[in-house]
Amino acid sequence: MPKRHADLFARIANFTALREAALEAAKGKRSKPGVAAFLINMEPRLFALERALLSGCWRSGSYTEINIHEPKQRTVSAAPFRDRVVHHALCAVVAPIFEQGFIFDSYANRVGKGTHRAIARFEQYRNRYKHVLRADIYRYFPAIDHAILKQDLRRRIACPQTLWLLDTLIDGSNPQEPVYQVYPGDDLLTMAQRPRGLPIGNLTSQLFGNVYLDPLDHFVKEVLRAPYVRYVDDFALFHDDPAVLAQWQARIAQFLAVRRLSLHPHKTWIASTQEPATFLGLVLMPGGFRRLPEDNIRRFRNRLRGLRDQWQAGTLDRMTVLRRVFAWVAHAEHANTWRLRHAIFYGGWFDPLWEPDGPPVARVLRGGSWNNNNRNAHAAYRNNNSPDNRNNNYGFRLASTPLRTRTARATAQAGVS
């Protein structure tokens, strides 16, 4: 039985903790109206929030729902900023307690983890085994059972007031899309009697999502003893024998049914590790090559056109546009995307954003290193190393400024209109 922690609420419901939570929640969002309005009168609002928590009368506010259609249709729920302050204060105290029990190979919403480390771990296992079981949970966040989640939280939390706050957050979830799944022992009234679903977009939902699948993580690692990688509800198991993977799939399905979850019928399969695999937004090829899925490239091009139009209309400033563009480019650089970036930069995408008296908007980089074989000098080749790998090998890198940018700069310096 894991250690249960008490006397936590005083570290959550106090002015100092709430102030730190408010500043953390406001990072990168200070220009938004709701955030700005809260920060203008932050101290009185925080004292009022502290009193509401200590008196037990705090309740979640109304969510703003945003329907997203790509990459798949789903509803993202945005809580009022006042609630997000509480979410941050709660997670700052509660998350480290649960973090101690999470397995190493759970990579979502954890400090020092993330998508690129999960991808690197996937590639390590892929290179060692012949087959992989790819699995996904059917409508994960809408299917999370409130009663089971509350039991999981009580395995490590013994503070009554903190449990009250956790329960209030769970009970205050807005309605999610219905999940029509029947499990052994259910009757006609079961679905109505068992509340389900957490709002996608809450910081607390990210924590609760890891807590809810933590028993599955330990079952796979300690009972099945399988090589395993999980990112939210997308996970993979590896073995040389596909028959063993089929047995593991059946046992995982039985385990998940107890927790009122189901494997996705169209996103769960067994495949050879020699086949290309799409995992967390990258297509992973044997030999260490990676590329972006065509859908990702299409969405980025559409988003880039929209950003350019907003900049030209004056609704977005230049630096905001560039931050959003290069955030995507930073992800794309983990794949072999030199041709794509070259086409974007040389194709004039950034010309409307360039200022003649400023630095070039973008530089096109290519090159590798002559490490221990000649293929490392290939522009699109990447070594299959973990993200924290560092070495002191000698190499080279070439950089060139897009031609149209160089021409425009020379024209501006010469004073030619």
Side-chain angles (χ1 to χ4, degrees), residues 29-64:
K29 304 180 179 68
R30 289 176 175 266
S31 61
K32 294 188 175 182
V35 180
F38 188 96
L39 295 180
I40 288 174
N41 297 308
M42 183 170 66
E43 291 189 3
R45 293 175 185 271
L46 291 180
F47 280 121
L49 192 56
E50 179 185 22
R51 289 193 298 270
L53 289 170
L54 292 174
S55 64
C57 64
W58 181 87
R59 296 294 182 272
S60 296
S62 300
Y63 286 91
T64 300

Side-chain angles (χ1 to χ4, degrees), residues 338 346 362-367 396-402 406:
W338 181 84
Y346 273 88
R363 295 178 67 83
V364 180
L365 301 178
R366 70 175 295 172
F396 69 94
R397 182 169 290 278
L398 303 178
S400 66
T401 302
R406 294 202 304 269

Side-chain angles (χ1 to χ4, degrees), residues 232-412:
V232 192
D233 61 330
D234 191 353
F235 57 94
L237 291 78
F238 299 82
H239 200 276
D240 289 332
D241 188 351
V244 174
L245 292 175
Q247 294 175 3
W248 286 351
Q249 179 179 341
R251 296 186 65 181
I252 288 173
Q254 294 175 355
F255 184 90
L256 290 175
V258 177
R259 302 186 64 76
R260 305 189 67 78
L261 297 174
S262 303
L263 292 174
H264 199 294
H266 305 303
K267 298 181 180 180
T268 301
W269 68 88
I270 298 172
S272 168
T273 54
Q274 296 304 305
E275 299 176 2
T278 302
F279 185 63
L280 302 183
L282 294 180
V283 180
L284 309 180
M285 316 288 286
F289 290 90
R290 302 172 178 175
R291 65 178 178 83
L292 291 171
E294 293 298 326
D295 288 346
N296 288 24
I297 298 173
R298 174 180 54 81
R299 285 196 299 271
F300 170 69
R301 284 173 173 164
N302 292 339
R303 189 178 301 120
L304 189 57
R305 291 188 185 99
L307 290 172
R308 184 176 58 185
D309 293 343
Q310 291 180 66
W311 179 83
Q312 291 175 335
T315 57
L316 283 181
D317 63 89
R318 177 174 178 271
M319 291 310 299
T320 300
V321 173
L322 292 180
R323 279 197 299 268
R324 295 183 183 182
V325 169
F326 284 103
W328 184 89
V329 171
H331 169 72
E333 287 179 338
H334 287 264
N336 309 124
T337 57
W338 181 84
R339 289 183 181 275
L340 171 65
R341 286 178 280 143
H342 184 275
I344 291 173
F345 296 147
Y346 273 88
W349 288 95
F350 291 98
D351 284 356
L353 305 181
W354 183 73
E355 297 176 356
D357 58 345
V361 172
R363 295 178 67 83
V364 180
L365 301 178
R366 70 175 295 172
S369 68
W370 284 325
N371 176 11
N372 46 21
N373 55 63
N374 56 8
R375 69 178 181 176
N376 282 333
H378 192 281
Y381 183 76
R382 60 181 293 115
N383 285 307
N384 189 22
N385 293 329
S386 61
D388 56 354
N389 180 274
R390 298 288 186 274
N391 56 56
N392 59 354
N393 295 319
Y394 294 101
F396 69 94
R397 182 169 290 278
L398 303 178
S400 66
T401 302
L403 177 61
R404 294 177 67 178
T405 303
R406 294 202 304 269
T407 303
R409 176 179 287 278
T411 302

